Amino acid sequence: IAESLEALAPDGVTFLRFVIGFLTLSLVPGARRPVLQRDRVGIAWLGVLWLAFPMSMFPHAEQHLSSALTGMLNGAIPLIAAGAAALVAWQAPSRTVIVGLMVGFGGAAVMALPGIGAGGNSARGVLLIAAALLSYGVAINLARPLQQRNGALPVVWRALAVALILTAPLGAPAVLGAQWSPRSLVAILALGCLGTAAANVIMAVAAGRLGPTRASATTFLIPVVALLLGVIVRGERVPAVAIGGGALCLAGAWLMRRGTSQQGRGRSFRVTGVAK
């Protein structure tokens, strides 16, 4: 995104990543499989809550916030997803999952400490990020039954079409005024093909197979990967405290994975015991 913003305004980045992501999945025959008629409205809502709305909020929020604070706030996604999942299922997460959530969010906060003072850090930016994260947390719970009934490819392909249409009024004019360089062009292609098409399909599969809480734990990896790419691609310097925060993010994701696995085995044992 940082490289793409060198050529495009924020709304243009959001719109063009949806265009490229939609065209990428259009090349895959499985994406065009029919979906259940009763799920069409849910898929449309997924296009709003998972794609169009939150991905439009982030570029605008980063005009008021430091990237460090934005990254830390991203660590709240698994917390919100777990809360929404608990409300839906009327079952609280296990103790291990709660510890994993706290450790992962703490790691994201530690990674943000060196750059927390940069940027405007205004209340408006925080509210935009909070709205986007709340949208993500609800959407990943919505994605699970849709993926289980229809498959990830057709669901994400149609959701991208909805997001593309919704962001076109502001995004298309920005694309027409873009100032491209080879570097920014490669960046937006990678963002569309990988960060939008492939990543959302993988996340939808994970939500369907692993559940929203466990799937959302992968967001703790975002600061770690961003840290590595910042060093390799953008030549940024990384303080030692950020490396420690990255280790905490990985530990939090591992604890959540372990906790949900144990919870799943416990449910299987109880069901088997009742059957016997």
Side-chain angles (χ1 to χ4, degrees), residues 111 218-232 246 250:
M111 290 184 72
T218 58
T219 58
F220 286 142
L221 306 180
I222 292 174
V224 180
V225 175
L227 188 100
L228 294 173
L229 289 176
V231 173
I232 297 168
L250 293 173

Side-chain angles (χ1 to χ4, degrees), residues 21 25 79 83 85 110 117 123 141 159 231 233 250:
L25 292 187
L79 299 173
V110 169
N141 284 275
V231 173
V233 177
L250 293 173

Side-chain angles (χ1 to χ4, degrees), residues 117-179:
N121 296 344
S122 71
R124 181 184 177 188
V126 172
L127 287 173
L128 290 175
I129 293 290
L133 298 182
L134 182 61
S135 185
Y136 271 133
V138 173
I140 197 168
N141 284 275
L142 176 63
R144 186 183 192 190
L146 294 172
Q147 187 276 338
Q148 289 175 332
R149 290 193 292 263
N150 303 282
L153 278 169
V155 167
V156 174
W157 183 62
R158 286 167 173 81
L160 280 171
V162 171
L164 187 160
I165 293 168
L166 292 175
T167 56
L170 295 176
V175 172
L176 294 175
Q179 308 252 334

Side-chain angles (χ1 to χ4, degrees), residues 35-47 142 146 162:
V35 296
L36 296 173
Q37 187 170 358
R38 66 189 173 108
D39 285 333
R40 289 177 182 174
V41 173
I43 292 172
W45 274 112
L46 197 66
L142 176 63
L146 294 172
V162 171

Side-chain angles (χ1 to χ4, degrees), residues 180-199:
W180 294 107
S181 69
R183 190 180 178 103
S184 59
L185 185 60
V186 170
I188 195 67
L189 288 172
L191 183 62
C193 295
L194 303 176
T196 306

Side-chain angles (χ1 to χ4, degrees), residues 12 50 75 100 114 133-134 166 198 210 243 258 260:
W50 200 357
L133 298 182
L134 182 61
L166 292 175
L210 307 177
I243 297 174
R258 184 181 177 204
T260 48

